[in-house]
Amino acid sequence: MEPIIQVKNVYFDYISQQGEDTAALDGVSLDIQKGEFVVIIGHNGSGKSTLAKHFNALLKPRSGDVWIKGMNTKDDDQTWNIRQVAGMVFQNPDNQLVATIVEEDVAFGPENLAVPSAEIRKRVDEALQTVNMTDFATSAPHFLSGGQKQRVAIAGVIAMRPEIIILDEPTAMLDPSGRGEVMDTIHRLNKAEGITIVHITHYMEEAIDADRVIVMESGKIILDGTPREIFSRVNTLKSIGLDVPQVVELCSELRKEGFEIEGDPLSIEEMVNALCR
């Protein structure tokens, strides 16, 4: 089956005010399959957000190609179609909310797609139900918590019926409770709705339950594997300035002290079971 996202040998540069080129993507290639939950990690400047913006044609490669469901992002005639397939949620929810009532905000995307009124009503109700925000349909967004605002932003994307949702550090400005709300929503969309998820984050714990973790450094992909494979590479991750989940850190330190711990625990439950064994 053809991957829903294909990236082949992509290079992209930013041009500074002084006219100097800075390489943001340096020969990136990867495939993402329909229904996958992929987390991309890397420190600031690694290229992860730049790559994400290529997935819905906000940016286009200097060389190389990106295909979204078989559509090349360089084809300007396909930009609108690509953005219907691949919706994007950004870091700051306040920058994504455009209306004074929650349900009107969720309706904004479908209205721009010229969806009939009755269908918009249905989509708005379903999207709010999906993110558990039905009770706030007639609320003003500025009265909501950060996590609730981000869930409304996600509902606005869902109402456009995308097959892919790209989330560029959507929990970066949220407290732990808000982060939990958003992550629960993202996982539910992936598992229950079959939506392909590309999640950019700097919180390592958010990568534990992904299907795949991609690690970027200096515009290149340096690691690509399951969470267990990636987080077993503690020294490699630390050498490029990344943390590891707390359970992985604890396991590493205990082993240094001579404790024998089976496997590579990622969650607290797995760590407890490993210690009990």
Side-chain angles (χ1 to χ4, degrees):
M1 188 166 55
E2 184 179 64
I4 196 164
I5 298 175
Q6 291 178 284
V7 180
K8 188 168 183 181
N9 206 28
V10 164
Y11 291 82
F12 181 83
D13 303 324
Y14 286 113
I15 301 174
S16 70
Q17 290 181 333
Q18 291 75 33
E20 298 172 354
D21 287 356
T22 302
L25 296 177
D26 188 8
V28 172
S29 296
L30 80 150
D31 291 344
I32 294 175
Q33 301 297 328
K34 183 174 175 58
E36 265 195 300
F37 191 122
V38 177
V39 170
I40 304 178
I41 59 176
H43 60 68
N44 290 340
S46 62
K48 60 187 188 298
S49 289
T50 300
L51 179 60
K53 290 183 176 75
H54 277 74
F55 294 158
N56 76 337
L58 278 174
L59 297 175
K60 298 180 182 181
R62 167 171 62 82
S63 65
D65 293 282
V66 178
W67 290 275
I68 305 299
K69 204 180 175 185
M71 296 176 284
N72 195 312
T73 60
K74 288 179 176 176
D75 183 352
D76 292 336
D77 292 337
Q78 295 284 13
T79 299
W80 193 242
N81 294 327
I82 287 167
R83 289 178 183 164
Q84 286 183 254
V85 171
M88 194 144 188
V89 177
F90 296 96
Q91 185 178 112
N92 189 342
D94 288 319
N95 293 343
Q96 301 168 80
L97 304 178
V98 296
T100 55
I101 301 293
V102 164
E103 63 182 9
E104 290 176 2
D105 198 277
V106 177
F108 182 78
E111 284 171 352
N112 280 298
L113 296 176
V115 173
S117 297
E119 175 66 14
I120 290 175
R121 179 72 265 169
K122 179 169 174 268
R123 289 193 189 190
V124 168
D125 291 343
E126 288 177 355
L128 287 172
Q129 187 174 3
T130 300
V131 300
N132 289 334
M133 288 295 289
T134 302
D135 292 345
F136 299 89
T138 57
S139 299
H142 61 268
F143 287 134
L144 302 178
S145 69
Q148 289 170 332
K149 287 178 182 176
Q150 197 60 289
R151 280 151 62 197
V152 171
I154 293 170
V157 172
I158 294 169
M160 297 170 73
R161 299 284 170 87
E163 295 179 51
I164 305 163
I165 297 181
I166 305 136
L167 302 110
D168 189 6
E169 303 205 30
T171 64
M173 304 184 72
L174 306 181
D175 60 20
S177 173
R179 286 205 298 274
E181 291 173 4
V182 171
M183 290 309 300
D184 287 347
T185 299
I186 295 169
H187 281 289
R188 192 164 59 251
L189 290 172
N190 177 246
K191 298 297 179 242
E193 308 288 332
I195 294 174
T196 305
I197 299 290
V198 180
H199 178 49
I200 316 297
T201 186
H202 61 266
Y203 292 109
M204 299 301 120
E205 273 74 16
E206 293 180 0
I208 288 172
D209 295 318
D211 296 319
R212 263 169 83 195
V213 178
I214 292 169
V215 183
M216 294 194 67
E217 165 71 3
S218 301
K220 295 177 182 289
I221 292 173
I222 62 166
L223 295 172
D224 182 349
T226 66
R228 211 172 296 282
E229 289 167 347
I230 298 303
F231 291 124
S232 68
R233 308 280 295 273
V234 176
N235 292 336
T236 301
L237 294 172
K238 290 199 166 187
S239 72
I240 60 169
L242 290 179
D243 292 324
V244 294
Q246 289 180 331
V247 167
V248 176
E249 182 81 45
L250 174 61
C251 184
S252 176
E253 292 301 316
L254 288 173
R255 282 172 173 156
K256 287 177 187 175
E257 296 299 322
F259 287 86
E260 292 185 13
I261 299 173
E262 290 182 21
D264 294 299
L266 291 178
S267 67
I268 291 171
E269 292 78 10
E270 289 179 354
M271 188 66 180
V272 169
N273 289 336
L275 289 171
C276 288
R277 285 199 296 271

